[in-house]
Amino acid sequence: MQRIDIGAVHILRLDQSGGPAPGNKRFKLRYHLAAAKARGRKRILSFGGAWSNHLHALAAVGAELGLETIGIVRGGEHSTPMLEDARAWGMELVPVSREEYRRRADPNYIEALAARFGPCLVVPEGGGGAEGVRGCLDIAGMINQLERHWSRVVVAVGTGTTLAGLAAGLACADELLGVAALKGAPGLDAAVQQALDTAGLAARLPWRIDHDYHCGGFARSNAALRLFMQEFEQAQRVPLEPVYTGKALFAVHSLLASGQWSATEPVLVVHTGGLQGRRGYDWLDRGHLD
């Protein structure tokens, strides 16, 4: 696993591993796939938007392992490059209204889906749940094996599953910081704690979520983020995406530039992948890293 060092800031590049499901997605799916195998399930159903990294990864892994996959797609959209990839890998896509999609955690709705598409294993949105958290414990284990103590470990936060796994497993940092990718998500902190509780785990170090670097909201970007990403990629030759890791690194850059963080304290940023989603952003010059 490559680690990029930029002064006191280091980047763990999960985007460079995982085969067809790079980044944190392979980790989040690991124990869901094990559960499917243990229960004799050959079909897996899950949820996501039209640009979902999770559905993309699930479809890829399903094709690799010979599993049937079903994606419940928010908003009724039928075609994006991500969905086309998933369809090509054999995923059955089921577009639903946003109103119906909001029921994705409702036990009665999940039971109805399981009956309609069963026998199948239903995986929470984003690969969450206890299995997803335990999978992300393995990322913490990788970081512990680097045998270095960090002032902070930083990761972007969507559902909170990866942050929960890191909080439960890290033994080599003073603090774990999550950078929220969503705007107006006051329940995100509680979601992380619930994820820990569901997995029967406890945090081993202090953690918190910074809600100031969403840059306009989920999957959105502002001029400051766009400029930072373009300059960072040109200088460091590390590809980013603006949904997750771009915002995490932008937060680190801003906190260092403002003097809120010391430039001498070692920081590790986890690059969680998602680079296939770059296709949704015309302002990203896909060729400038070649």
Side-chain angles (χ1 to χ4, degrees):
M1 186 73 59
Q2 184 180 4
R3 195 183 83 203
I4 299 294
D5 300 336
I6 310 165
V9 177
H10 310 260
I11 304 174
L12 182 66
R13 294 198 59 185
L14 298 183
D15 62 299
Q16 293 189 318
S17 68
N24 63 339
K25 297 306 178 187
R26 173 74 72 164
F27 292 91
K28 292 169 79 173
L29 286 172
R30 179 173 293 171
Y31 294 103
H32 288 294
L33 295 170
K37 182 178 181 180
R39 299 174 195 175
R41 297 289 187 259
K42 298 292 186 180
R43 184 180 302 128
I44 300 179
L45 178 149
S46 197
F47 311 86
W51 288 89
S52 170
N53 290 320
H54 167 62
L55 290 184
H56 193 269
L58 178 60
V61 172
E64 181 183 48
L65 300 179
L67 298 170
E68 297 179 38
T69 54
I70 300 165
I72 306 299
V73 183
R74 179 186 66 242
E77 188 164 355
H78 292 268
S79 181
T80 65
M82 301 282 271
L83 294 182
E84 291 304 320
D85 286 349
R87 186 178 287 111
W89 282 318
M91 176 174 275
E92 179 183 350
L93 300 174
V94 183
V96 300
S97 67
R98 291 181 179 273
E99 180 180 10
E100 180 175 340
Y101 191 83
R102 282 194 285 271
R103 299 183 61 201
R104 62 193 179 278
D106 180 343
N108 293 327
Y109 181 60
I110 293 173
E111 184 178 348
L113 289 173
R116 176 182 172 187
F117 295 102
C120 67
L121 178 74
V122 178
V123 173
E125 180 184 44
E131 290 82 1
V133 174
R134 285 196 289 269
C136 292
L137 273 172
D138 294 343
I139 302 175
M142 291 174 55
I143 296 173
N144 292 337
Q145 290 174 8
L146 295 175
E147 297 184 348
R148 176 162 184 179
H149 192 85
W150 309 96
S151 293
R152 298 176 183 87
V153 173
V154 181
V155 68
V157 181
T159 63
T161 302
T162 303
L163 183 67
L166 292 177
L170 283 176
C172 58
D174 295 328
E175 181 187 40
L176 173 62
L177 176 70
V179 177
L182 300 85
K183 179 181 180 180
L188 195 52
D189 298 68
V192 173
Q193 185 59 54
Q194 182 178 6
L196 285 166
D197 294 343
T198 299
L201 298 168
R204 298 178 66 179
L205 78 170
W207 63 270
R208 64 185 179 90
I209 299 176
D210 193 318
H211 294 266
D212 293 336
Y213 296 94
H214 54 75
C215 299
F218 185 70
R220 296 186 179 183
S221 62
N222 58 20
L225 176 64
R226 293 193 290 271
L227 178 61
F228 165 76
M229 286 183 55
Q230 290 166 339
E231 292 183 345
F232 180 91
E233 290 186 349
Q234 287 283 6
Q236 305 301 333
R237 319 303 291 176
V238 176
L240 304 175
E241 44 71 46
V243 181
Y244 295 109
T245 302
K247 292 179 180 178
L249 278 163
F250 179 56
V252 171
H253 168 77
S254 300
L255 291 164
L256 286 169
S258 67
Q260 295 181 63
W261 287 2
S262 168
T264 63
E265 295 179 344
V267 175
L268 181 68
V269 181
V270 180
H271 191 319
T272 53
L275 298 179
Q276 62 275 4
R278 285 171 64 95
R279 292 173 292 178
Y281 299 90
D282 292 338
W283 54 269
L284 277 171
D285 178 6
R286 300 187 206 31
H288 75 271
L289 291 175
D290 295 342

